[in-house]
Amino acid sequence: MTPRTLLWMVLLVVAGCRTTQPVTVTLPASLPEPPTVLLPWYDGWLLGGGKVLWWLRDKRPIHRWTLPAAVQGGVVDPEGVLWLGTGAGLVRLTAPTAQPERVPLPALNRFPSVTTLTLDAQQRLWVGTAQHGVFLRADTSWRPVLAAAPVYALATTTDGTVWVGTGIGLFRQTSDGWLVYSEEGTANHGLPDNIVERLVALPEGLWVIMSEAVSFFPVDEVDHPVEFAYLGHPGNRIHDVVDLPESGYLLATDDGLVWLRELPHFDTHGGLRELRVMEYDLARPLSPASLALPDEPITRLDRRGNWLYLAGPSGLFRRLLPPAALAHR
């Protein structure tokens, strides 16, 4: 471990423990399930897990909604409208004082399970469903754009490309249609695993989280992803990822928070390597105590400038990134 890396770890721990820096918004009652949605909205935050949705503002919970089914994803469009995917269909919320409104889709089941949402470069809404593929909202009308199912994840990278994670591979939007990455793929279009459970788009590229592997597609080199078998141990699910300026990535996993100092650079011709948290210098676990967090699942992350936001069932926690993480912005 380099001296700079060690300094970053020490400063991160110190930053988490300073009582003047952390800000916590504690919910009156814990969410029924770990958070699946954390979004900035109306000068506050939208936090949701299970059927419960909270709007947080001014360091306190302001409004609570009960949804028709568990929330599975969400986005906020340019007009400030909140769109949520639930197990009972698409839901729209126009303001913190409004009530959730179910929005039908042009499918055999008008209110299918909506698993994921994204906005493309033109700020159009894309909606992925468990059984009916992907739909695109243009103006006020909907049209199907991909018939693959089940759809687990949608993401838009900084170059404007829309990606779709499904149970049969990864789909990338191109000017000629859809390019598919799968286990059966040839040339540069292979993928370690067909089941793409989550996509996380960051400025540098796309995290592709599969049932038995992880890939990272750099924005400018999508045909040469970084791949490894798992983080920590088999089945350790990765829920979310944020970038730390010049300091790697922070990952929310079933095993807790993990700091990935940099992406691994393995030669995958001999098969995927196993990246073990405790045995490989690239990845280090961060205990809840080191960040002054409760001992509970942290499943949603966000970074706004030098502030890191972490969400668990009991609420939202804000931590200031240490100067070492921002020195080379």
Side-chain angles (χ1 to χ4, degrees), residues 2-236:
T2 66
R4 179 175 171 273
T5 298
L6 181 59
L7 174 63
W8 194 94
M9 290 186 67
V10 170
L11 287 173
L12 182 58
V13 171
V14 171
C17 294
R18 290 177 183 167
T19 57
T20 58
Q21 291 182 0
V23 173
T24 298
V25 182
T26 303
L27 300 177
S30 292
L31 296 172
E33 298 176 18
T36 52
V37 169
L38 175 65
L39 296 167
W41 194 53
Y42 278 88
D43 297 323
W45 288 90
L46 217 293
L47 178 63
K51 294 184 180 182
V52 175
L53 191 68
W54 276 99
W55 179 48
L56 314 176
R57 188 179 180 187
D58 298 329
K59 305 176 185 178
R60 60 192 180 96
I62 301 294
H63 195 85
R64 179 185 186 275
W65 296 271
T66 300
L67 300 172
V71 60
Q72 301 180 118
V75 294
V76 177
D77 71 17
E79 285 73 43
V81 176
L82 173 69
W83 298 86
L84 298 167
T86 79
L90 182 65
V91 171
R92 176 172 56 196
L93 197 58
T94 56
T97 55
Q99 290 301 310
E101 173 191 358
R102 296 176 75 193
V103 178
L105 293 172
L108 185 62
N109 174 5
R110 299 179 68 204
F111 300 100
S113 176
V114 173
T115 53
T116 178
L117 307 93
T118 193
L119 296 174
D120 64 16
Q122 291 77 43
Q123 299 300 300
R124 298 175 301 178
L125 179 64
W126 295 60
V127 173
T129 67
Q131 296 179 321
H132 302 282
V134 180
F135 297 89
L136 171 63
R137 184 175 187 262
D139 296 324
T140 58
S141 62
W142 296 91
R143 63 181 176 89
V145 290
L146 182 64
V151 175
Y152 296 122
L154 286 167
T156 304
T157 45
T158 53
D159 62 354
T161 301
V162 174
W163 300 73
V164 184
T166 76
I168 56 174
L170 176 67
F171 290 73
R172 175 164 67 94
Q173 183 191 34
T174 73
S175 58
D176 298 323
W178 293 99
L179 181 63
V180 184
Y181 297 79
S182 69
E183 286 186 272
E184 298 78 19
T186 59
N188 293 324
H189 304 138
L191 203 66
D193 185 354
N194 278 343
I195 302 176
V196 179
E197 297 178 335
R198 183 158 175 75
L199 300 173
V200 180
L202 295 177
E204 302 87 355
L206 180 74
W207 284 81
V208 180
I209 300 165
M210 295 157 279
S211 61
E212 296 181 353
V214 181
S215 293
F216 179 83
F217 285 73
V219 168
D220 56 353
E221 200 174 357
V222 294
D223 288 333
H224 299 89
V226 177
E227 300 172 343
F228 52 95
Y230 57 81
L231 189 71
H233 66 79
N236 181 29

Side-chain angles (χ1 to χ4, degrees), residues 249-261:
Y249 303 90
L250 183 66
L251 298 91
T253 79
D254 280 346
D255 282 353
L257 295 174
V258 176
W259 174 36
L260 187 62
R261 185 163 51 85

